[in-house]
Amino acid sequence: MTKYGPYPVITAKEAASFIKDGHTVGFSGFGAAGGAKAVPYALADKAESEHRKGRPFAMRVLTGASSGLAIDEVLAQSGAISWRAPYQTGRSLRKQINNQDVEYVDMHLSHVPQAMLFGFFGKMDAAVVEASEVTPDGRVYLTTSIGISPTMLALADKVIIEINTVQSPRLREMADIVTLPPPPHRDPIPIAHPMSRIGVPYATVDPKKVAGVVLNSEPDTVSEFSQPNQVSRQIAGHLVEFLASEMKAGRIPKEFLPLQAGVGNVANGVMGVLGTHPDIPPFSMYTEVFQDSQVELMQQGRLLGASATSLNITEDALGVIVDNMDFFAKRLILRPQELSNHPGIIRRLGVIAMNTALEMDIYGNVNSSHVYGMDIMNGIGGSGDFSRNSYLAVFMTPSIAKDGRISSVVPMCPHIDNGEHSVQVVVTEQGLADLRGLGPLLRAKKIIENCAHPMYRDYLFRYIENSRAGHIPHDLNKCFELHRNLMETGSMLPGLSA
């Protein structure tokens, strides 16, 4: 038998044989970065084979966030997932969740490790973790993400290590890994700056739990982001103007405050524009994902340093980092997600959080996850971790979608992820609304005037005028009229288009 140190080298199919129907299985990865790749494909094959024989096979699947093609698509397509947490982005899995074929637990990402620790998800039967190396004494050097891998390695009954031979061993130079003890035995976390290092570059596992090592040479498959379009540039322009005015007023210090940016084309585009604007000084980031636009900003000296849990970047951008590791290793830190998204650290550092919304209502409540309030898109992810605890919580979205058939500003959100008490600033390409210190009616006026698309403003103002009086005026007969119209006719205001 071939050995990797003291551990047997096994095939992905042999690794899959350890996992049984009904098992709770943790997979490494945060976004498409650092995810297990070989074993999920073997598990998909196993599921299809078992189903052809009339036997059940489906797992309870846990990851740090979404976890790339191999899990959220391939496993889902094979019917190998019965339960999923805490976040996903797969089209096939999304459909299964909305059809109630898969049970889905959508939750704040910073809560996941503690929920695992106290057994809220049940016993963890197995963990499949990508690494660049595992040592005989159980040090596991992770690759492009940390996520919940340290917690999985500690709790799983059986561990399979996927050694990725194409990932640079020098990625460990960015890792700063600490696992928190259970409450109430927790000391203050000594992170006083985004670039504070407090841990070690490896996670640990009991060597006796390692069932085998699977060799893999597949790179991360992070999709390329679109170039910033006109809408993203307009959103960024409004945001830059606002942040510059906050600096001038003394509410943001001259050295600026750490930024957090959510995942996706809008956030990536806004960061690219904001980062090059002369009115914004060089800055640091305390965020959950490091994206393509930030690689170039760091090379230009605009981004001074970044703390994250994942390098959610394309293969070309990762190549730039690996080829210039002496430069990037001093400026990038990868932490477990219970630290990258930790409420106390976010509050202490005064992070400016910038996340995207599906829609917002006229009073400043934000829906980040559910179309019509019923059908999941992805999940709340880390937006709640940051918005509730940041110095400034900003939510961004285009004002319309589908050529004007959908308004992103509605009378009432049918599902709320980030409530009015957490949301301080909302911005679309139409403009920005600073909601701080405003009561409900003034918030509504600002959002409609500044952020709603002109074709929807009259409707939204009429909605308020015809609503029952109260602290928050609403018409419960019409609050979801736009959503009902969309479901019935394909347009929120039939006959209207941009």
Side-chain angles (χ1 to χ4, degrees):
M1 176 183 287
T2 307
K3 292 275 193 173
Y4 182 97
Y7 311 111
V9 174
I10 59 177
T11 65
K13 183 176 181 180
E14 289 171 330
S17 70
F18 293 116
I19 296 170
K20 310 301 181 186
D21 176 53
H23 272 187
T24 297
V25 184
F27 294 92
S28 65
F30 194 103
K37 301 175 179 67
V39 176
Y41 279 95
L43 284 165
D45 290 341
K46 178 177 180 176
E48 291 173 355
S49 174
E50 291 294 286
H51 297 162
R52 284 194 297 270
K53 296 171 185 173
R55 296 196 290 252
F57 183 83
M59 303 169 291
R60 295 165 54 85
V61 172
L62 186 65
T63 59
S66 60
S67 201
L69 180 69
I71 292 168
D72 287 343
E73 275 298 325
V74 175
L75 279 180
Q77 289 170 2
S78 68
I81 301 175
S82 62
W83 178 97
R84 181 77 169 92
Y87 188 79
Q88 57 75 44
T89 56
R91 181 173 298 186
S92 299
L93 183 57
R94 181 184 304 131
K95 183 177 180 181
Q96 291 170 353
I97 292 166
N98 289 329
N99 288 338
Q100 293 294 323
D101 297 324
V102 173
E103 184 179 0
Y104 179 51
V105 180
D106 177 26
M107 62 186 294
H108 298 299
L109 300 186
S110 69
H111 292 186
V112 178
Q114 183 167 287
M116 295 167 63
L117 185 64
F118 285 97
F120 297 151
F121 306 135
K123 179 172 71 76
M124 178 161 284
D125 298 289
V128 185
V129 176
E130 179 177 279
S132 62
E133 181 185 2
V134 55
T135 64
D137 61 353
R139 285 172 289 164
V140 180
Y141 292 95
L142 303 171
T143 58
T144 48
S145 69
I146 308 299
I148 60 171
S149 292
T151 306
M152 288 194 302
L153 290 166
L155 297 179
D157 289 347
K158 199 176 295 290
V159 172
I160 297 155
I161 304 292
E162 281 197 13
I163 294 295
N164 193 312
T165 57
V166 300
Q167 296 283 27
S168 170
R170 292 197 66 186
L171 289 168
R172 68 187 64 179
E173 297 175 36
M174 301 178 186
D176 187 56
I177 298 174
V178 171
T179 52
L180 301 179
H185 310 292
R186 288 178 174 169
D187 294 326
I189 299 168
I191 294 177
H193 185 276
M195 299 311 293
S196 298
R197 286 184 177 267
I198 63 171
V200 294
Y202 52 84
T204 58
V205 65
D206 180 350
K208 296 174 186 169
K209 298 199 303 184
V210 178
V213 167
V214 176
L215 301 180
N216 174 40
S217 59
E218 290 295 317
D220 292 338
T221 53
V222 178
S223 300
E224 289 199 20
F225 291 103
S226 303
Q227 288 297 313
N229 59 18
Q230 181 65 18
V231 169
S232 295
R233 286 193 290 270
Q234 287 174 313
I235 291 173
H238 298 312
L239 193 51
V240 166
E241 183 180 353
F242 168 74
L243 294 174
S245 69
E246 289 294 288
M247 288 182 64
K248 191 175 293 185
R251 290 186 287 266
I252 295 177
K254 290 180 180 178
E255 64 270 27
F256 216 58
L257 290 169
L259 298 181
Q260 176 262 339
V263 181
N265 285 320
V266 172
N268 190 63
V270 166
M271 277 302 304
V273 175
L274 185 150
T276 57
H277 200 282
D279 290 343
I280 302 298
F283 56 88
S284 298
M285 295 190 73
Y286 197 86
T287 189
E288 58 184 3
V289 293
F290 189 78
Q291 300 181 88
D292 276 27
S293 63
Q294 291 139 41
V295 175
E296 189 173 349
L297 292 177
M298 192 166 275
Q299 288 180 304
Q300 294 168 350
R302 297 288 298 165
L303 177 56
L304 303 175
S307 167
T309 194
S310 168
L311 297 178
N312 204 50
I313 54 180
T314 58
E315 192 172 355
D316 287 345
L318 181 59
V320 171
I321 289 178
V322 170
D323 291 343
N324 298 276
M325 190 61 78
D326 288 344
F327 173 84
F328 283 100
K330 301 171 186 174
R331 295 167 174 83
L332 267 171
I333 296 177
L334 296 181
R335 311 182 193 275
Q337 69 193 62
E338 61 186 321
L339 293 178
S340 68
N341 291 40
H342 193 280
I345 301 170
I346 294 164
R347 182 69 61 88
R348 179 188 303 155
L349 298 180
V351 172
I352 298 173
M354 302 179 295
N355 289 284
T356 52
L358 281 180
E359 63 184 352
M360 67 183 83
D361 70 26
I362 55 177
Y363 297 113
N365 299 291
V366 167
N367 174 12
S368 303
S369 60
H370 285 76
V371 178
Y372 309 121
M374 297 180 285
D375 294 339
I376 191 71
M377 279 295 291
N378 300 324
I380 190 171
S383 66
D385 294 327
F386 283 90
S387 67
R388 179 65 183 88
N389 302 289
S390 59
Y391 175 72
L392 271 177
V394 179
F395 280 89
M396 310 172 288
T397 182
S399 66
I400 56 172
K402 305 292 184 183
D403 297 321
R405 295 192 297 276
I406 298 174
S407 171
S408 298
V409 181
V410 296
M412 183 187 284
C413 288
H415 176 89
I416 295 171
D417 295 289
N418 294 280
E420 61 182 288
H421 307 100
S422 300
V423 179
Q424 295 165 301
V425 176
V426 292
V427 55
T428 71
E429 82 286 355
Q430 299 295 322
L432 179 146
D434 180 0
L435 308 179
R436 295 173 297 177
L438 302 182
L441 279 174
L442 286 179
R443 288 202 301 269
K445 186 172 184 291
K446 270 210 168 185
I447 289 173
I448 296 170
E449 288 180 346
N450 294 6
C451 299
H453 194 278
M455 70 173 69
Y456 284 91
R457 287 176 190 163
D458 285 347
Y459 176 91
L460 295 170
F461 275 126
R462 283 199 308 274
Y463 173 82
I464 296 173
E465 291 170 6
N466 297 327
S467 291
R468 176 192 174 279
H471 178 230
I472 302 176
H474 270 302
D475 180 347
L476 296 185
N477 291 316
K478 287 198 165 186
C479 58
F480 298 132
E481 183 177 51
L482 295 183
H483 296 90
R484 292 201 312 270
N485 287 345
L486 181 62
M487 293 179 73
E488 293 166 5
T489 72
S491 177
M492 285 188 164
L493 289 179
L496 205 61
S497 61

